Amino acid sequence: MKNQLFIDGKWVSPIHGGTQEIFNPATGNLLHVVAVASEHDVDIAVKAARRAFDKDGWSTLPGSERAKYLRKMAEIIRRRLPELAELEVKDNGKPRPEAEWDIGDAAGCFEYYAKLAEELDTNNKSDIQLSDDRFTSKVVREPLGVVGAIVPWNYPLLMASWKVAPALAAGCTVVLKPAEVTPLTSLELAAVAEEAGLPAGVLNVLTGRGSVAGQAIVDHPLVDKLAFTGSGPVGSRIMASASKDVKRVTLELGGKSPLIVFPDSDIAKAVEWVMFGIFWNQGQVCSATSRVLVHEEIYQSFLDRLVAEAKKITIGNGLDAGILLGPLVSETQHRNVSNAVLKAKEDGAKVLTGGGRPANMEQGYFFEPTVLTDVPLNSEAWIEEIFGPVVCVRPFATEQEAVELANDSRFGLAAAVMSQNNELAERVAANLRAGVVWINCSQPTFTEAPWGGYKQSGIGRELGPWGLDNYLETKQITAYVSDAPWGWYIK
Ligand code: NAD
């Protein structure tokens, strides 16, 4: 396992020699010790990325050449999939099959953006028709510059890939900072880049604290763009800091995603999607199905099934076979989720199942699958992201009421609707104020489709061609092609 910073194509120790311990959330035991970067290390990394962009030719390489590096990185990630998945489980806690999905998706993301990099060679220029035929004009798209990528702990390698792959495809260079608690697979991504022969300075990976290394990336005047996934308060601070130099910013923030179950739904299927939506990755998902609205006609039968199925979820170390729910990522996260449930109870919520640490599991940061009802609309449990395996369920009587309740949130990342009636489902989807709406499912995410939120869930879209656009500038080149003088003062 790597324990240094990856700067300018080399593994180096931080200038001031700081370290940080990393723990396995399933056991609470020490897993590894990594380096902690200071603002001086960030400065060196940003200058390396700047040089790689401005002078060394990464930004001017044909897309087809950059694509070769991306494909090579995808190949190495796939070859190392079992090992990287195991590392993700030990670092983050998620069950192994989910980690394998993540790593496979990360490889797929590099492959997808390799294709888009190749296409850029032919589609990065277009002529535009002007209203004055004395001029011709074309539009070219060019790489934006040096990108500061700051990612959270819930999908460590995948969130890094969602930023690094399109940025490199576009011709940008990157300084990546993983989350404090889950830095290990991002360090391996640096090793992947090294093995792929990525030129020095094109990808730099610095472990360290958000308030120090992260903030130093955000404040660095030579960084052109910040791509951030994380919490709302940090995103808001990043946007404020970025405004000083008018840096470009994309933000993928939190959510409190509703799922509406209409009475014609198949209850067993709806319950399965709700369980997947709130219990996979231990509910530590920005788009987690955390508010479920169920039509009053089927409310009780839906709840009965949900509670019965939630009780069957197998909890344990993500490395063990058959485990569906691993530990939360850290002691802090365990405390946050526990406090959120205690507070919900004080506010009058009923706990139908779960609510705390599973019996006989004293070690690690495990939390039971939890179903809450009677959660007041003004309580934090209904309004704020809990980021754990805790779902709030509430009945509704009419379509209008369901849509109003669903939209009554400052977030707008994702939403879902369950119904056999296509017309109804499409109408509700159109009325939901969210960047992602699922019909008769919840959570499936595809590299080809845009990802991002309305309202306070963020700014911009990742994935698909939208993800590439984030790392491109648009330039018009307009030529005066008439022989006649312009005629402003020569008549
Ligand atoms: P966080 O905001 O605490 O940290 C995210 C990253 O920002 C970490 O790398 C952290 O070190 C860094 N950071 C912290 N302070 C910083 C600062 N002042 N300057 C620069 N960087 C700083 O979030 P988290 O707890 O790691 O992640 C959980 C949050 O992420 C949840 O709110 C979740 O909804 C959100 N999230 C959103 C998406 C999405 O796609 N919308 C995906 C995953 C997670």
Side-chain angles (χ1 to χ4, degrees):
M1 277 191 271
K2 303 290 180 192
N3 61 1
Q4 287 180 297
L5 311 175
F6 187 70
I7 299 180
D8 207 3
K10 291 185 280 298
W11 292 97
V12 295
S13 296
I15 288 177
H16 296 303
T19 58
Q20 191 200 332
E21 295 180 324
I22 304 298
F23 297 92
N24 180 337
T27 59
N29 294 339
L30 183 67
L31 175 62
H32 196 45
V33 177
V34 295
V36 170
S38 69
E39 46 277 270
H40 302 291
D41 304 300
V42 168
D43 184 52
I44 296 169
V46 171
K47 285 178 177 155
R50 191 76 258 169
R51 189 205 65 237
F53 184 86
D54 290 333
K55 303 204 173 112
D56 294 354
W58 179 255
S59 53
T60 50
L61 269 188
S64 56
E65 290 299 313
R66 290 197 297 268
K68 288 180 188 159
Y69 291 101
L70 289 164
R71 287 227 162 78
K72 185 89 187 127
M73 288 178 76
E75 252 172 61
I76 300 168
I77 294 171
R78 278 205 199 285
R79 190 193 75 221
R80 296 185 55 194
L81 191 149
E83 169 213 342
L84 292 173
E86 183 163 327
L87 191 57
E88 203 78 297
V89 177
K90 289 181 178 163
D91 201 11
N92 165 281
K94 63 180 70 199
R96 194 196 295 262
E98 293 184 20
E100 287 171 350
W101 256 355
D102 289 5
I103 309 299
D105 281 357
C109 185
F110 277 90
E111 278 154 7
Y112 176 79
Y113 282 107
K115 186 167 70 76
L116 264 57
E118 284 164 350
E119 288 170 9
L120 263 184
D121 289 341
T122 49
N123 70 8
N124 71 342
K125 283 192 192 67
S126 54
D127 292 330
I128 49 174
Q129 218 51 52
L130 301 177
S131 52
D132 186 334
D133 62 10
R134 291 173 300 167
F135 297 87
T136 60
S137 191
K138 65 183 173 192
V139 171
V140 293
R141 294 188 302 156
E142 297 180 339
L144 205 155
V146 173
V147 174
I150 300 176
V151 297
W153 44 256
N154 57 346
Y155 291 90
L157 185 68
L158 191 57
M159 289 299 108
S161 303
W162 281 19
K163 293 173 173 48
V164 171
L168 299 189
C172 292
T173 57
V174 180
V175 177
L176 167 70
K177 197 204 82 65
E180 285 88 335
V181 289
T182 56
L184 302 184
T185 48
S186 285
L187 288 173
E188 293 306 322
L189 184 63
V192 167
E194 190 181 27
E195 187 184 336
L198 198 70
V202 171
L203 173 64
N204 306 272
V205 181
L206 281 77
T207 46
R209 298 194 201 294
S211 54
V212 181
Q215 192 65 47
I217 294 172
V218 169
D219 289 336
H220 203 295
L222 297 182
V223 170
D224 299 294
K225 189 220 155 78
L226 297 166
F228 173 77
T229 297
S231 62
V234 175
S236 167
R237 203 170 321 140
I238 286 178
M239 197 169 161
S241 307
S243 69
K244 188 167 55 72
D245 304 322
V246 198
K247 290 189 177 84
R248 279 82 180 122
V249 178
T250 39
L251 303 174
E252 301 287 351
L253 309 175
K256 191 75 187 175
S257 300
L259 180 148
I260 307 173
V261 188
F262 282 96
D264 63 345
S265 304
D266 177 323
I267 291 183
K269 285 185 186 154
V271 164
E272 187 180 16
W273 283 113
V274 168
M275 303 236 303
F276 180 62
I278 193 64
F279 300 143
W280 81 307
N281 211 30
Q282 294 66 245
Q284 303 164 131
V285 183
C286 47
S287 55
T289 305
S290 49
R291 293 185 296 144
V292 175
L293 299 157
V294 184
H295 192 270
E296 57 192 13
E297 268 174 34
I298 55 163
Y299 182 65
Q300 198 51 52
S301 26
F302 176 91
L303 269 183
D304 292 345
R305 171 134 188 141
L306 176 63
V307 169
E309 295 300 316
K311 285 183 174 158
K312 294 183 199 160
I313 294 256
T314 45
I315 308 174
N317 188 322
L319 290 176
D320 295 341
I323 293 300
L324 287 174
L325 196 90
L328 298 176
V329 75
S330 64
E331 196 173 0
T332 307
Q333 192 60 13
H334 194 272
R335 197 167 43 244
N336 291 345
V337 174
S338 306
N339 288 342
V341 173
L342 283 180
K343 178 85 178 32
K345 285 202 271 189
E346 282 166 21
D347 290 345
K350 281 194 202 139
V351 180
L352 297 197
T353 183
R357 183 180 278 282
N360 309 320
M361 292 186 85
E362 294 314 317
Q363 253 203 331
Y365 313 127
F366 295 96
F367 199 93
E368 295 168 299
T370 300
V371 178
L372 304 180
T373 57
D374 300 274
V375 184
L377 290 177
N378 61 358
S379 82
E380 277 183 23
W382 186 260
I383 296 170
E384 301 295 336
E385 195 173 40
I386 295 178
F387 228 56
V390 181
V391 62
C392 303
V393 191
R394 188 180 187 86
F396 71 87
T398 64
E399 177 185 332
Q400 190 189 349
E401 184 195 357
V403 170
E404 280 175 11
L405 281 168
N407 284 338
D408 185 18
S409 169
R410 69 175 199 280
F411 298 114
L413 181 56
V417 49
M418 302 278 159
S419 171
Q420 304 301 315
N421 177 339
N422 288 342
E423 204 180 304
L424 168 80
E426 291 288 344
R427 184 171 64 235
V428 171
N431 287 328
L432 289 167
R433 301 276 302 153
V436 182
V437 178
W438 286 291
I439 295 179
N440 291 327
C441 63
S442 180
Q443 307 303 321
T445 300
F446 299 93
T447 313
E448 301 80 10
W451 182 267
Y454 281 26
K455 301 192 259 182
Q456 291 185 28
S457 287
I459 295 182
R461 295 292 177 271
E462 294 195 292
L463 300 182
W466 304 269
L468 188 70
D469 286 348
N470 284 334
Y471 301 100
L472 294 168
E473 280 285 22
T474 302
K475 178 188 277 177
Q476 63 153 303
I477 301 177
T478 296
Y480 185 64
V481 292
S482 163
D483 291 335
W486 180 229
W488 182 54
Y489 66 94
I490 306 168
K491 296 289 175 198

